[in-house]
Amino acid sequence: MNFEYSELQEDIRHGVREICSRYDVEYWRKCDENNEYPEEFVNAMIEAGWLSALIPEEYGGAGLGLSEAAIILEEINRSGGAGTACHAQMYTMGAVLRHGSEEQKKKYLPQIAAGKLRLQSMGVTEPDAGSDTTKIKTFAEKKGDKYIINGQKIFTSRYQHSDMILLLARTTPIEQVEKKTKGLSLFLIDIRDVGDAIVANPIETMVHHETNMLFINDLEVPADALVGEEGNGLYCILDGLNAERILASAQAVGDGKWFVEQAVRYSKERIVFDRPIGQNQGVQFPIAKAYTNLMAGETMMHKAAAKFDQGLPCGAEANMAKYLCSEAAWEAGEAAMTTFGGYAVAKEYHIERKWKESRLARNAPISNNLVLSYVGQHVLGMPRSF
């Protein structure tokens, strides 16, 4: 395995870093304070073509691999920004690419690649189902050449800043299927045309992570909005979750490196009792330990991305990378909070903002407890824990 970055990958890193340099930590602080979506930054990333990295060249994208996409998101977070604002534009289209009809791919992928269309939102989670996706209640009833959809979604991010949404709904009641993962269907919906059939209520959160509760009432969509086969929608989403988890890992790596860099710099500059605080083991060791764990997580993340790009099974590596990187980033955030002391909670130092953002990674896109359950059951062969 080659652990050195290629010339192309280094060029990507520098290119993304150049864009990020135009949007400094003060830009992100203002977005956080005003609960604003970083529209200018996202537009800049779209115009530069970075968010279409995973779209094949035949559809107007860069045709890069997940390893390169991970570098893009890592650099955003390492700059003090938040890749969560736009990361779905990179991977959500994967369901269309892998399972959509040729007509869907030709119609939508070139527009996404050109920045004319945003597919940044996915409606899966529901208030009562949570992580048990098979228990969702949103239902799509087929009537002739269309489906009528009714239901509710929660934590549907970037809906207000997307042109289209991938929506998962039941097309067969759970009590009528032989396997509970069946009977779910995936729809690609142009939300510019839905009117008041979908009502989005923004959810206020501790970070500027635009997310919503959706109320879906008699939404009519054409039959050709179906992605893949009817009843097989969960599988259309599941095979893209490894990509999501690997990219979430990359963001966590970026956060962790930002924390470590800030903590190291401050520990050298801050003089207390006539010596830099970084000379004290109580300050130095937590930073060094967090960095060590971060490097271990980064290695697993690159292994997962490499296997994904080679078409090899990578579920174990993707899940473990997500766990290791998010835990290490949080540890680095804690070390930075301790290093900066009272100044850590002062907004002008930006530590508290990134600290809040890094905590989210332990819960999403999958809880770290569920990752451990996956490893226990599917990797180690232990009994199912739930």
Side-chain angles (χ1 to χ4, degrees):
M1 182 180 294
N2 185 2
F3 289 96
E4 296 297 322
Y5 290 110
S6 68
E7 183 177 349
L8 171 63
Q9 290 172 331
E10 290 291 358
D11 288 343
I12 291 171
R13 188 179 297 279
H14 290 300
V16 175
R17 191 173 294 172
E18 191 280 324
I19 291 179
C20 291
S21 68
R22 306 180 213 160
Y23 301 90
D24 61 13
V25 285
E26 286 301 317
Y27 170 83
W28 291 99
R29 181 179 64 81
K30 290 177 181 177
C31 288
D32 182 54
E33 286 185 351
N34 300 323
N35 199 29
E36 293 178 348
Y37 185 76
E39 195 74 43
E40 293 180 19
F41 173 78
V42 175
N43 283 336
M45 291 293 292
I46 290 175
E47 290 171 8
W50 295 123
L51 300 189
S52 60
L54 294 173
I55 297 178
E57 291 182 89
E58 64 182 294
Y59 297 113
L64 298 175
L66 203 66
S67 297
E68 288 73 39
I71 291 172
I72 293 170
L73 290 174
E74 178 194 330
E75 281 302 314
I76 294 174
N77 283 42
R78 188 174 183 176
S79 75
T84 49
C86 56
H87 62 182
Q89 182 85 353
M90 299 182 77
Y91 64 80
T92 302
M93 63 82 207
V96 180
L97 177 63
R98 289 185 293 272
H99 301 283
S101 65
E102 196 58 38
E103 181 182 354
Q104 288 172 331
K105 287 186 276 190
K106 288 181 178 179
K107 181 178 181 179
Y108 297 117
L109 293 180
Q111 292 189 65
I112 295 172
K116 298 177 180 178
L117 187 71
R118 287 189 185 181
L119 174 56
Q120 295 196 154
S121 194
M122 184 183 297
V124 176
T125 306
E126 296 186 5
D128 295 330
S131 298
D132 190 356
T133 305
T134 63
K135 298 290 180 62
I136 65 171
K137 298 176 181 177
T138 296
F139 197 84
E141 180 182 3
K142 191 170 186 181
K143 290 188 175 182
D145 60 351
K146 61 185 177 182
Y147 288 88
I148 309 299
I149 306 177
N150 285 278
Q152 186 177 348
K153 297 294 179 181
I154 196 169
F155 299 127
T156 304
S157 299
R158 296 164 299 276
Y159 179 87
Q160 312 281 15
H161 303 278
S162 189
D163 299 313
M164 305 197 78
I165 184 173
L166 281 171
L167 187 70
L168 188 69
R170 275 219 165 267
T171 43
T172 304
I174 191 170
E175 60 271 13
Q176 295 180 20
V177 294
E178 294 182 2
K179 191 176 181 181
K180 65 180 182 178
T181 53
K182 293 289 188 177
L184 293 152
S185 299
L186 186 64
F187 298 90
L188 178 61
I189 298 168
D190 192 328
I191 57 182
R192 297 169 295 184
D193 300 330
V194 301
D196 59 1
I198 299 182
V199 176
N201 286 351
I203 299 173
E204 292 188 10
T205 63
M206 70 178 184
V207 295
H208 63 292
H209 183 72
E210 198 272 344
T211 194
N212 305 269
M213 178 175 284
L214 303 184
F215 297 92
I216 307 163
N217 300 294
D218 293 330
L219 171 65
E220 294 187 11
V221 298
D224 62 8
L226 182 70
V227 177
E229 298 178 3
E230 182 179 300
N232 208 40
L234 183 59
Y235 297 96
C236 294
I237 289 178
L238 285 177
D239 72 359
L241 293 184
N242 286 333
E244 181 185 27
R245 289 167 192 179
I246 293 168
L247 294 179
S249 302
Q251 291 177 172
V253 168
D255 282 336
K257 289 182 179 179
W258 186 86
F259 282 127
V260 168
E261 289 164 5
Q262 299 303 310
V264 168
R265 176 187 57 78
Y266 188 77
S267 73
K268 294 177 180 178
E269 297 174 352
R270 178 64 169 163
I271 306 298
V272 179
F273 299 117
D274 302 320
R275 56 192 278 168
I277 62 174
Q279 189 174 343
N280 301 316
Q281 292 181 356
V283 172
Q284 184 180 121
F285 283 12
I287 300 172
K289 181 173 176 287
Y291 181 75
T292 300
N293 289 334
L294 189 66
M295 292 300 97
E298 182 180 32
T299 301
M300 180 62 77
M301 182 266 290
H302 283 302
K303 180 180 180 181
K307 293 187 73 173
F308 184 96
D309 288 337
Q310 294 172 44
L312 299 173
C314 62
E317 290 83 2
N319 277 280
M320 289 189 289
K322 190 273 171 186
Y323 180 91
L324 291 171
C325 294
S326 62
E327 291 291 332
W330 175 248
E331 184 181 12
E334 287 285 278
M337 288 287 282
T338 300
T339 302
F340 276 76
Y343 292 111
V345 297
K347 291 187 176 182
E348 66 177 291
Y349 288 86
H350 307 280
I351 301 297
E352 55 85 30
R353 173 177 59 83
K354 293 296 290 180
W355 179 74
K356 291 185 296 184
E357 292 172 5
S358 69
R359 181 58 182 85
L360 178 63
R362 299 173 77 200
N363 285 24
I366 183 176
S367 164
N368 281 354
N369 282 336
L370 284 178
V371 171
L372 294 177
S373 177
Y374 175 92
V375 172
Q377 179 185 349
H378 296 287
V379 180
L380 301 179
M382 300 168 72
R384 185 182 179 93
S385 63
F386 59 91

